[in-house]
Amino acid sequence: MTIPQLRAFAAVVRYGSVKSAAAALGVSESTVSMHVAQLRKELGDPLFTRTGSGLAFTPGGLRLASRSVELLGLQNRTVEEIGQAAQGLRLLRVGATSLFAEHAAPGLIESFTQRATDLEVELSVHQASEFEELLRTRAIDVAIGPPVASPRPGLVQRAFLAYDVEVVTTPDHPLAGRPVSAAELARATWHLGPSAVGPAGAIPAMLQRLRVPESHQRIFQSEASALEEVHHAAAVAPAVVFSVSANLAAGRLVRVTGQGTKQRGVWVASAREEDREQTSAELLRFLQTPRATQAMIKGSGVPIRRFRPAVYVTLWS
């Protein structure tokens, strides 16, 4: 597959016809058709057919539609990175689990990038099970999440922040204000963020220990939205304590007490040992400082002109 082929196919997907795609790209219809035909031949898939109501994509065509956008975005990003490198700019790619990315990464990265004007940090969210392969293939430079149980040779791990997860709910929930049993917790409705998906981390460990059935678990797009929905339904939620301290102090949330309602977790940073002179090693050293701890727990404060909403890949510079 070539970039022109992918660009032509992505345009067909976006605009709904070969004619509109050609007009958008500033090329002839025959050129777009040629690129699509080459993709069909190489992949052994018709990709789409024409119907009376428009284009109907095959399962393979839908998958290619998604991948083509990703690949074209990566190409554009690579061109930009090469230009930045020529100007002496550094790029650090950090992969993190969703729990760290939501609660601690913004303050950490903001504080870390304030130390250098030639540094840009790219944050992406992954399952912890993917970290070793991502580091090995150099898709990321630093991985942050739970410890890797049996790391491969050549991987450096640094534990830098312990945190507590506790079960919380609203003051009017039936489980509030009294000790509860593990059986009662297993029967409750749980509101969870994406960190509950997968076997690793403090929150999956808590759910497994309490034997909460999947039928009682409701997964939301973020930990914050899961906690917010607790106010609109009779549910409980696991929460990183430092992230909900203000709500606990104000009485909007209360701790659920009893067996299995607390879980200790630790965040670990992993990097390639051979990169000890690179920016990744600089971040591992910074993570051990009080300034980094303060930034992760309380945030460093982001000026409005630099605020980024939470997305899958976030750039800080």
Side-chain angles (χ1 to χ4, degrees):
M1 292 182 290
T2 66
I3 293 299
Q5 290 170 357
L6 291 173
R7 189 174 290 115
F9 183 73
V12 171
V13 173
R14 180 175 181 182
Y15 296 104
S17 71
V18 170
K19 182 178 180 180
S20 298
L25 295 174
V27 299
S28 66
E29 291 182 44
S30 61
T31 298
V32 174
S33 296
M34 177 190 69
H35 287 318
V36 172
Q38 290 170 339
L39 283 173
R40 284 171 164 163
K41 181 178 180 181
E42 180 176 351
L43 298 174
D45 190 308
L47 302 178
F48 63 84
T49 58
R50 292 179 176 85
T51 69
S53 58
L55 301 181
F57 290 88
T58 67
L62 291 174
R63 179 63 61 87
L64 180 61
S66 173
R67 285 286 186 261
S68 62
V69 172
E70 293 177 13
L71 291 170
L72 290 170
L74 180 60
Q75 185 226 9
N76 293 334
R77 181 63 189 155
T78 301
V79 171
E80 183 180 343
E81 289 174 7
I82 292 172
Q84 291 172 338
Q87 300 172 31
L89 296 177
R90 296 177 292 159
L91 174 66
L92 179 66
R93 296 161 300 177
V94 177
T97 54
S98 60
L99 195 68
F100 181 84
E102 182 170 348
H103 292 306
L108 169 68
I109 296 175
E110 179 68 19
S111 183
F112 184 64
T113 55
Q114 286 176 349
R115 305 164 70 249
T117 59
D118 64 339
L119 176 63
E120 182 173 78
V121 176
E122 178 183 280
L123 173 67
S124 56
V125 177
H126 306 275
Q127 291 290 336
S129 58
E130 301 173 342
F131 282 161
E132 285 197 90
E133 181 65 15
L134 291 169
L135 287 166
R136 187 187 67 80
T137 59
R138 294 189 173 272
I140 60 174
D141 303 305
V142 177
I144 299 180
V148 177
S150 301
R152 297 175 184 173
L155 190 67
V156 176
Q157 291 194 96
R158 295 285 186 271
F160 61 89
L161 184 64
Y163 63 95
D164 291 315
V165 172
E166 295 189 25
V167 182
V168 299
T169 189
T170 53
D172 58 351
H173 192 280
L175 298 184
R178 63 179 179 85
V180 300
S181 66
E184 287 179 296
L185 286 168
R187 291 194 297 268
T189 298
W190 287 66
H191 284 185
L192 305 162
S195 62
V197 179
I203 291 178
M206 174 181 282
L207 296 171
Q208 292 165 14
R209 190 175 69 253
L210 292 171
R211 298 182 180 179
V212 179
E214 289 189 3
S215 60
H216 289 191
Q217 301 179 29
R218 304 288 183 268
I219 307 295
F220 293 82
Q221 290 184 332
S222 67
E223 311 295 325
S225 57
L227 282 168
E228 183 59 33
E229 287 302 315
V230 166
H231 294 281
H232 307 297
V236 300
V240 176
V241 174
F242 70 74
S243 72
V244 294
S245 57
N247 283 323
L248 291 171
R252 294 186 72 239
L253 293 172
V254 296
R255 290 177 168 89
V256 177
T257 60
Q259 182 182 0
T261 59
K262 297 181 180 181
Q263 180 75 34
R264 170 60 61 95
V266 61
W267 280 315
V268 172
S270 304
R272 295 175 294 269
E273 188 174 11
E274 63 195 70
D275 293 345
R276 60 176 64 92
E277 302 299 326
Q278 304 300 320
T279 310
S280 54
E282 184 181 344
L283 176 60
L284 263 60
R285 290 191 294 271
F286 179 71
L287 282 165
Q288 306 289 332
T289 66
R291 179 181 173 186
T293 301
Q294 179 78 2
M296 287 183 283
I297 292 177
K298 296 190 175 180
S300 61
V302 183
I304 191 169
R305 67 182 180 279
R306 298 190 62 196
F307 174 75
R308 275 90 160 170
V311 293
Y312 185 75
V313 174
T314 306
L315 295 177
W316 301 76
S317 59

